[in-house]
């Protein structure tokens, strides 16, 4: 079945094609280049929203959402060459201050040690005393022209390595996310399939890829209930919000839900009962212990430390009242009290 492709150039509509072949033929004429050069770029473009850059212009390709989702599934299940590639890459903090770069930069040049392409995802493992995956980045320029490379000397701790790094090919990525959890330590990575130490870039797949990715997949509502916000931020530096990683740990979440079920333990809302099939198995998980009370070496107990709650109750648990967070029991009592009050006023709709 033909899938319509819309071509956008520099944020302006350029052409609407009935299928990928017509889109490629149009670009062949528009850019005076062989159409066969564009098939992969168009497919990766509409499937993963990856732009194609040509002589200073940016081209984007858009297809119906369902078409893009189906094709993405086909590409990834068959390990097609156009499937977005996921890499595990090592950083030595004694040579390069990646954490500082994350705080001060949106994008960064990186020595090209593999054939990274636009849209590739890199998970950056920090070695040394850290020894865990900390950053998720996306390649936005596979090869940076030599005259455009920013060597970012200010982040290099080992100046000898800095001088040695000059020359060769460089790539550019943008920072997407940062997490800090022992669940992404070298020991844990080995439990999920890592065969050796993290050295050269490793293309990820299977269980190890899925495990790492799960810690960086953000809930769209998480910004409404951060556990802790840093108040003292230097001017111009990235604002960071520490969201409780335990609430996003897929293993802990599953064990918690297996024990309690998927009904909100505060207001009793069950999404499947209320919304039907679309709400099946949907629930948030709240970490009961405040972040500031967690000590180094803490291991989450999915039964005693986590509890399933709906997004509304979850948001209320992460809001302060008179400088303090409400407990589970306090929020339950608040709901019961307000429901009774509404009944008395005759405003409760059943």
């Amino acid at each position: 079945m033909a899938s319509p492709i819309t071509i956008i150039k520099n944020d302006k509509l350029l052409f609407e094609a009935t299928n990928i072949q017509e889109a490629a033929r149009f670009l062949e004429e528009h850019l005076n280049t062989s159409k066969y050069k564009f098939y992969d770029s168009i497919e990766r473009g509409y499937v993963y929203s990856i732009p194609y850059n040509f002589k200073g212009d940016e081209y984007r390709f858009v297809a119906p959402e369902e078409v893009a989702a189906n094709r993405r599934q086909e590409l990834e299940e068959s390990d097609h060459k156009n499937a977005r590639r996921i890499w595990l890459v090592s950083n030595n903090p004694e040579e390069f201050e990646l954490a500082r770069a994350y705080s001060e930069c949106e994008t960064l040049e990186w020595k090209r040690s593999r054939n990274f392409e636009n849209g590739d995802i890199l998970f950056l493992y920090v070695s040394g005393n850290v020894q865990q995956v900390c950053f998720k980045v996306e390649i936005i320029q596979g090869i940076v022209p030599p005259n455009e490379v920013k060597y970012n000397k200010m982040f290099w701790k080992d100046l000898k390595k800095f001088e040695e790094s000059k020359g060769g090919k460089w790539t550019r990525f943008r920072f997407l996310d940062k997490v800090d959890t022992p669940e992404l330590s070298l020991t844990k990575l080995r439990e999920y399939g890592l065969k050796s130490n993290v050295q050269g870039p490793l293309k990820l797949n299977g269980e190890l890829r899925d495990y790492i990715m799960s810690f960086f997949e953000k809930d769209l509502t998480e910004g409404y209930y951060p556990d802790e916000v840093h108040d003292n931020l230097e001017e111009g530096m990235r604002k960071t919000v520490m969201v409780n990683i335990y609430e996003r740990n897929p293993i802990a979440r599953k064990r918690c839900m297996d024990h309690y079920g998927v009904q909100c333990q505060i207001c009793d809302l069950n999404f499947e009962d209320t919304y039907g099939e679309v709400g099946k198995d949907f629930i948030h998980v709240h970490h009961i212990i405040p972040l500031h009370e967690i000590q180094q070496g803490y291991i989450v107990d999915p039964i005693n430390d986590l509890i399933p709650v709906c997004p509304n109750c979850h948001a209320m648990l992460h809001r302060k009242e008179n400088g303090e967070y409400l407990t589970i029991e306090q929020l339950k009592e608040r709901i019961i009290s307000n429901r009774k009050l509404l009944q008395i006023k005759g405003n409760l709709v059943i």
Side-chain angles (χ1 to χ4, degrees), residues 2-131:
S3 302
I5 305 290
T6 300
I7 303 175
I8 299 172
K9 177 181 179 181
N10 298 329
D11 295 326
K12 294 182 179 180
L13 176 64
L14 178 64
F15 184 72
E16 292 182 304
T18 57
N19 52 52
I20 192 171
Q21 290 81 8
E22 185 181 8
R25 286 195 297 270
F26 171 82
L27 285 178
E28 176 186 24
E29 297 176 3
H30 183 72
L31 301 176
N32 194 28
T33 306
S34 171
K35 67 179 180 181
Y36 299 105
K37 178 179 180 179
F38 299 115
Y39 279 102
D40 291 347
S41 297
I42 294 172
E43 184 166 71
R44 286 170 60 85
Y46 82 77
V47 170
Y48 295 108
S49 299
I50 299 171
Y52 174 72
N53 295 289
F54 187 85
K55 294 184 177 180
D57 293 315
E58 180 183 86
Y59 296 83
R60 290 187 175 272
F61 310 100
V62 182
E65 184 175 345
E66 183 178 356
V67 171
N70 290 339
R71 185 53 179 159
R72 178 165 58 250
Q73 183 176 357
E74 293 172 356
L75 293 177
E76 294 176 355
E77 287 181 351
S78 64
D79 197 24
H80 191 279
K81 65 183 179 68
N82 284 342
R84 169 173 269 167
R85 299 178 305 172
I86 313 294
W87 302 85
L88 182 61
V89 179
S90 179
N91 160 248
N92 185 344
E94 297 303 316
E95 296 179 1
F96 188 87
E97 295 182 282
L98 190 59
R100 183 181 158 208
Y102 174 85
S103 298
E104 299 181 16
C105 301
E106 294 291 335
T107 64
L108 194 71
E109 269 78 346
W110 195 260
K111 190 73 172 182
R112 183 180 167 91
S113 51
R114 285 291 187 274
N115 59 329
F116 299 135
E117 298 179 359
N118 287 12
D120 282 5
I121 296 295
L122 277 57
F123 290 103
L124 303 182
Y125 171 89
V126 181
S127 59
N129 294 328
V130 180
Q131 294 195 349

Side-chain angles (χ1 to χ4, degrees), residues 153-185:
K153 183 177 180 180
M154 72 286 288
F155 302 129
W156 284 85
K157 297 176 68 175
D158 188 326
L159 295 183
K160 181 179 179 181
K161 289 287 186 180
F162 166 70
E163 293 297 333
E164 292 174 353
S165 73
K166 292 182 178 180
K169 294 182 179 180
W170 289 72
T171 191
R172 180 177 291 138
F173 63 63
R174 66 184 179 102
F175 286 105
L176 296 179
D177 200 6
K178 175 186 178 182
V179 300
D180 182 5
T181 170
E183 296 298 319
L184 289 175
S185 67

Side-chain angles (χ1 to χ4, degrees), residues 173-325:
F173 63 63
R174 66 184 179 102
F175 286 105
L176 296 179
D177 200 6
K178 175 186 178 182
V179 300
D180 182 5
T181 170
E183 296 298 319
L184 289 175
S185 67
L186 182 61
T187 300
K188 282 291 185 180
L189 298 182
R190 285 173 173 163
E191 289 180 12
Y192 283 85
L194 182 66
K195 303 298 184 183
S196 61
N197 291 334
V198 183
Q199 295 176 340
L202 171 67
K203 188 177 179 181
L204 291 173
N205 52 49
E207 186 178 24
L208 179 59
R209 176 198 60 198
D210 296 342
Y211 178 73
I212 295 174
M213 289 180 65
S214 68
F215 287 90
F216 291 86
E217 292 176 353
K218 293 187 173 182
D219 190 311
L220 292 177
T221 59
E222 74 175 19
Y224 292 100
Y225 40 82
D227 271 339
E228 178 180 332
V229 179
H230 293 276
D231 294 321
N232 299 320
L233 295 172
E234 294 183 21
E235 185 68 20
M237 293 182 66
R238 180 190 304 267
K239 293 183 178 180
T240 58
V241 178
M242 297 300 292
V243 178
N244 197 327
I245 189 64
Y246 303 107
E247 294 174 357
R248 291 188 276 135
N249 182 321
I251 299 173
R253 279 178 54 87
K254 184 177 186 304
R255 291 176 181 170
C256 172
M257 292 162 63
D258 286 345
H259 179 80
Y260 291 102
V262 294
Q263 181 167 304
C264 178
Q265 299 298 295
I266 295 177
C267 72
D268 297 327
L269 175 65
N270 182 297
F271 281 84
E272 185 176 11
D273 291 346
T274 303
Y275 300 103
E277 182 68 21
V278 70
K280 185 177 181 179
D281 294 333
F282 179 82
I283 197 70
H284 282 194
V285 170
H286 173 66
H287 188 262
I288 298 171
I289 304 175
L291 277 179
H292 67 271
E293 294 182 12
I294 295 176
Q295 303 299 316
Q296 186 173 3
Y298 165 78
I299 299 176
V300 64
D301 182 333
I303 309 303
N304 295 315
D305 297 350
L306 302 178
I307 186 171
V309 292
C310 71
N312 285 347
C313 289
H314 200 181
M316 293 302 100
L317 289 170
H318 283 268
R319 288 176 64 90
K320 287 184 177 181
E321 185 176 68
N322 299 323
E324 299 291 336
Y325 293 110

Side-chain angles (χ1 to χ4, degrees), residues 131-148:
Q131 294 195 349
Q132 64 187 38
V133 178
C134 296
F135 302 94
K136 176 182 179 181
V137 305
E138 179 186 24
I139 300 297
I140 58 174
Q141 193 167 357
I143 299 179
V144 181
N147 63 325
E148 296 181 12

